[in-house]
């Protein structure tokens, strides 16, 4: 049953204090209106604190138990995988730029854009993918150009800018047909189908998802076949 959160010491709630209550950093189950009340209650709370029991091996005063007045431990927070990738690719792009490795720099910006998108930072994702695209155009690298416009299209979909996304996916298809990669061609058809569906152009959406399905069947790609059937359904 849901209960109103109240300070363990004075029993005041957010309604009476006007500020958000702070929870125990170890168990997140006890609440306090101030650090003073948190410290005041620790002698009692450490006996039942689930987080503290886990840290001290299950006891209520064994090795690792905190003494009254000591700060309540904060639980370890696992780093966001996308945030970690962002840092890695940012360093990679910088190092490649210093070494004069333009292709490596472009690829790093592409991966950086994907990490920004996963974090919901779409504006930064657009900038990163545009840097990837600019480098690919500078080097005349059609494969990386296709990858850049594809990823740029995904970001525009996330932004709800479906006309822009459609232009990117049309460019991706043109490059893919030039390079002769059937698998990526199927991906491009899928992307176009998704963009047309988002624009409410259902006949066009069906047309491209059927092309995606045909390639999946040709290649014996059961995963791709499943995805295409799902989009058509």
């Amino acid at each position: 049953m849901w209960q109103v959160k109240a300070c363990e010491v004075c029993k005041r709630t957010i309604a009476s204090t006007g500020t958000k209550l702070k929870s125990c950093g170890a168990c997140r189950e006890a609440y306090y209106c101030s650090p003073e009340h948190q410290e005041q209650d620790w002698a009692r709370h450490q006996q039942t604190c689930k987080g503290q029991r886990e840290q001290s091996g299950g006891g209520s005063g064994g090795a690792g138990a905190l003494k009254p007045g000591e700060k309540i431990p904060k639980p370890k927070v696992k780093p966001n995988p996308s945030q970690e990738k962002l840092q890695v690719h940012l360093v990679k792009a910088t190092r490649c730029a210093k070494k004069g490795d333009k292709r490596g720099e472009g690829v790093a910006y592409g991966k950086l854009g994907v990490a920004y998108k996963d974090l919901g930072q779409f504006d930064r994702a657009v900038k990163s993918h545009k840097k990837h695209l600019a480098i690919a155009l500078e080097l005349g690298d059609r494969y990386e150009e296709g990858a850049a416009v594809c990823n740029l299209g995904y970001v525009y979909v996330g932004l709800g800018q479906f006309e822009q996304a459609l232009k990117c996916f049309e460019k991706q298809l043109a490059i893919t047909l030039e390079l002769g990669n059937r698998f990526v061609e199927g991906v491009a058809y899928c992307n176009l189908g998704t963009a047309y569906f988002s624009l409410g152009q259902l006949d066009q959406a069906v047309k491209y998802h059927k092309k995606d399905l045909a390639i999946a069947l040709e290649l014996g790609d059961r995963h791709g076949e499943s995805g295409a059937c799902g989009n058509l359904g």
Side-chain angles (χ1 to χ4, degrees):
M1 183 181 294
W2 183 82
Q3 294 180 335
V4 176
K5 297 173 183 177
C7 176
E8 296 289 334
V9 177
C10 65
K11 307 305 179 185
R12 297 174 71 192
T13 65
I14 186 172
S16 59
T17 62
T19 58
K20 185 178 180 180
L21 298 176
K22 304 294 184 181
S23 63
C24 168
C27 69
R28 300 293 185 186
E29 293 182 0
Y31 292 85
Y32 302 94
C33 66
S34 67
E36 291 75 19
H37 279 184
Q38 187 178 34
E39 290 187 8
Q40 181 181 332
D41 188 52
W42 179 239
R44 179 200 65 81
H45 178 59
Q46 70 171 329
Q47 306 300 320
T48 57
C49 178
K50 291 181 180 179
Q52 176 58 22
R53 287 208 307 274
E54 291 173 359
Q55 292 179 23
S56 62
S60 60
L66 298 184
K67 298 178 181 180
E70 288 186 313
K71 291 183 179 180
I72 297 176
K74 293 182 179 180
K76 293 182 179 180
V77 179
K78 292 184 179 180
N80 185 313
S82 294
Q83 190 70 43
E84 287 187 320
K85 290 178 182 178
L86 190 152
Q87 296 299 326
V88 169
H89 299 317
L90 187 58
V91 170
K92 180 73 172 178
T94 302
R95 288 178 177 174
C96 287
K98 289 182 178 179
K99 291 191 298 183
D101 179 5
K102 296 295 290 185
R103 188 178 188 281
E105 182 185 356
V107 171
Y109 275 123
K111 292 180 178 180
L112 187 62
V114 172
Y116 276 129
K117 176 182 173 293
D118 290 342
L119 289 168
Q121 299 181 31
F122 296 111
D123 290 342
R124 291 184 176 182
V126 168
K127 290 179 181 179
S128 295
H129 288 312
K130 282 186 175 180
K131 286 182 178 180
H132 181 196
L133 178 58
I135 291 174
L137 290 169
E138 178 186 337
L139 297 177
D141 189 332
R142 295 291 276 168
Y143 179 84
E144 288 301 327
E145 182 184 349
V149 294
C150 174
N151 285 325
L152 195 54
Y154 290 148
V155 179
Y156 284 133
V157 168
L159 287 167
Q161 298 177 18
F162 303 118
E163 291 285 359
Q164 287 288 89
L166 185 62
K167 291 178 182 179
C168 289
F169 297 143
E170 287 174 341
K171 185 66 175 178
Q172 177 198 10
L173 177 61
I175 294 172
T176 301
L177 290 172
E178 177 187 322
L179 296 177
N181 188 321
R182 291 290 279 167
F183 177 80
V184 180
E185 182 182 343
V187 173
Y189 287 137
C190 175
N191 291 338
L192 283 165
T194 300
Y196 276 118
F197 179 83
S198 298
L199 288 167
Q201 300 182 35
L202 303 186
D203 289 342
Q204 286 289 84
V206 169
K207 170 186 171 182
Y208 284 108
H209 284 311
K210 281 185 175 180
K211 288 188 175 185
D212 177 28
L213 176 59
I215 290 177
L217 291 170
E218 174 192 327
L219 298 178
D221 180 3
R222 297 290 287 170
H223 180 75
E225 180 185 349
S226 176
C229 288
N231 287 327
L232 284 166

